[in-house]
Amino acid sequence: QPPRPCEDYWWEWKHCRGLRHAFHHYYAHGELPACGRWREDYETCRAWERDGAAAAQEALCKSERARVMERQKYAPVWTLRKSPPPDWYLPLDQEKTN
């Protein structure tokens, strides 16, 4: 079974090709979005469902792994805390004696 339903890939491809998304992507990144990968993933997913081809399965899993790695490539903007600050209960306008 594919990692996502094939309709998800189709919807992502249609969304990527939409005028609103293209305008936003161009405004944010300075280039039009590359939507071909979603179409290829949709075709590969259909081949996996239809034929159960091992090559289609491997190609789709590789594409999903690449998508996850691309999302994890960027570090978070804020540093995450392990615990709250020691003076978290004090009012904000009180002077700190540090």
Side-chain angles (χ1 to χ4, degrees), residues 58-79:
E58 182 60 33
L60 191 58
C61 289
K62 184 178 178 182
S63 177
E64 283 291 328
R65 278 189 223 107
R67 193 172 287 120
V68 168
M69 293 302 290
E70 186 176 313
R71 198 175 324 133
Q72 293 175 350
K73 182 171 59 173
Y74 301 104
V77 175
W78 306 105
T79 56

Side-chain angles (χ1 to χ4, degrees), residues 2 7 9-10 16-18 23 25 28-29 31 33-34 36 38 51 54 57 60-62 67 72 76 85 87 97:
E7 289 76 29
Y9 296 110
W10 180 258
C16 185
R17 291 187 56 219
F23 179 75
H25 194 276
H29 303 286
E31 61 186 19
W38 290 111
D51 305 329
Q57 179 181 2
L60 191 58
C61 289
K62 184 178 178 182
R67 193 172 287 120
Q72 293 175 350
D87 58 349
T97 59

